[in-house]
Amino acid sequence: MSNIKLIIEERPANIGNFMVGRLLPFREKRMVGPFSFIDHMGPAAMNDHENLDVPPHPHIGLSTLTFLFEGEITHKDSLGSDVVIKPGQVNWMTSGSGIVHSERTPEYLRHSDKMLHGLQIWVALPKDLEQMEPEFFHVEGTDIPAWEQDGVAIKLIAGEAFGRKSPVPVYSPLYFLELKSTRRQKVNIGDYLFGESALYILDGAIESDGHIFEPRQILIANDAKLCEFTMHENTSVYIFGGEAFPEERFIYWNFVASDKELIEKAKQKWIEQSFKPVPGETGFVPLPDPIRNIKH
């Protein structure tokens, strides 16, 4: 019997002046473990007058993880962080009770041709930490645990797995892994995973139960312990998951919470522009149509 419960195709979504492929949430699967949202950015070739410009916008109840394959993004937030993220590094921003940030092409790249390609991920916070103080961490690529196992190059970008721990300070049991193979290779890593689990194919292809799956799909497992598949040559996949929360999470725009009242308060706070501002930034992303329903 197949271990694949659900196959999610990437769907296009617009984040201002930039198109992304949205992977989560999906109507039949709102979350995988604590992971509530995944966007695949690019790959996008931008010319000398095209730039990423996402003005200040708020978050509550989650941590954001930005991981780039190509290109650079300047991250600024209301804590005063001002960091350029480059490929292989991790930006980990925990909103807690509320944070505001912007994402833009760095000044030194704004008048040249460039590429942008990466993943942006939201990880919901446990109920008792939803209102924690906001935090920001930037982790260098050289500090991410990386090793080879049975012919597969593995990186533990966040969380714990394989008896290793990433320096990214997560707040619930989870894992976010990169697997790369240059040759056809059978992979069996179920013994190292737990909770709910999903696999995103970036490049190449994988085989499972006689079926071939190609890029821009997420495969969600029935049982993480049965995670076995064959990677084709020159394949890159990302495996993410962890322990699911006992409570439902609601999502409205950039807000995630176990209590709709927290979202209503955040909406009002953004309308009033009473979130702490991002130093050096003007302008903001307005709240979407207020009659839009909160997603279950």
Side-chain angles (χ1 to χ4, degrees):
M1 181 178 174
S2 173
N3 185 38
I4 298 170
K5 177 167 67 175
L6 182 66
I7 302 167
I8 299 175
E9 300 280 351
E10 209 170 280
R11 292 102 58 210
N14 196 315
I15 58 165
N17 65 337
F18 198 76
M19 290 300 294
V20 299
R22 181 135 305 160
L23 294 156
L24 279 181
F26 184 68
R27 63 183 178 273
E28 295 175 44
K29 186 64 177 172
R30 308 307 305 177
M31 296 174 66
V32 175
F35 290 81
S36 61
F37 178 97
I38 297 180
D39 269 352
H40 176 206
M41 304 183 293
M46 295 184 286
N47 62 31
D48 58 2
H49 61 272
E50 292 177 310
N51 293 294
L52 176 71
D53 279 304
V54 182
H57 55 283
H59 291 281
I60 66 164
L62 55 83
S63 297
T64 64
L65 189 156
T66 303
F67 187 77
L68 297 181
F69 311 125
E70 292 181 90
E72 301 180 17
I73 296 175
T74 294
H75 161 100
K76 294 183 179 180
D77 63 40
S78 49
L79 297 174
S81 311
D82 185 346
V83 175
V84 175
I85 181 170
K86 300 181 180 184
Q89 301 173 337
V90 176
N91 262 18
W92 177 261
M93 181 184 76
T94 298
S95 62
S97 60
I99 199 167
V100 180
H101 75 133
S102 63
E103 297 159 291
R104 303 186 186 275
T105 298
E107 196 59 43
Y108 54 82
L109 293 178
R110 295 184 74 84
H111 303 291
S112 59
D113 295 344
K114 60 253 167 200
M115 291 289 295
L116 187 60
H117 189 200
L119 295 173
Q120 289 204 306
I121 294 168
W122 294 0
V123 181
L125 287 166
K127 185 177 175 66
D128 62 337
L129 293 175
E130 283 184 307
Q131 293 291 289
M132 67 179 281
E133 289 296 311
E135 296 178 341
F136 176 79
F137 290 89
H138 177 83
V139 179
E140 292 293 337
T142 51
D143 294 329
I144 300 296
W147 67 99
E148 187 170 300
Q149 185 164 319
D150 299 326
V152 177
I154 304 175
K155 283 185 182 177
L156 179 58
I157 299 168
E160 294 187 51
F162 293 87
R164 293 169 165 88
K165 183 176 182 178
S166 166
V168 175
V170 304
Y171 294 102
S172 67
L174 63 87
Y175 45 86
F176 179 43
L177 293 153
E178 174 189 87
L179 277 66
K180 288 180 175 284
S181 181
T182 57
R183 58 185 173 86
R184 187 179 177 91
Q185 179 72 44
K186 190 170 184 179
V187 178
N188 186 348
I189 58 172
D191 290 343
Y192 303 102
L193 305 180
F194 57 89
E196 298 184 332
S197 190
L199 179 152
Y200 176 62
I201 306 164
L202 179 70
D203 299 306
I206 71 161
E207 287 182 37
S208 178
D209 298 306
H211 300 282
I212 296 177
F213 301 97
E214 296 182 324
R216 298 180 181 268
Q217 293 181 321
I218 278 184
L219 310 179
I220 295 175
N222 273 311
D223 184 349
K225 294 291 184 189
L226 300 178
C227 191
E228 182 177 303
F229 53 92
T230 297
M231 296 177 73
H232 284 199
E233 59 277 0
N234 301 319
T235 291
S236 299
V237 301
Y238 291 83
I239 295 175
F240 60 93
E243 299 295 349
F245 297 131
E247 322 87 8
E248 184 178 6
R249 288 297 182 277
F250 304 102
I251 302 176
Y252 172 87
W253 192 35
N254 302 316
F255 306 140
V256 175
S258 60
D259 183 346
K260 291 182 182 180
E261 187 58 34
L262 290 173
I263 291 177
E264 291 304 318
K265 288 178 180 176
K267 288 164 62 177
Q268 192 59 38
K269 193 174 175 182
W270 188 243
I271 290 170
E272 297 167 353
Q273 284 295 291
S274 56
F275 276 87
K276 189 177 177 181
V278 179
E281 282 275 19
T282 56
F284 60 93
V285 179
L287 190 77
D289 185 349
I291 66 170
R292 190 171 139 198
N293 290 328
I294 294 173
K295 296 175 187 174
H296 292 259

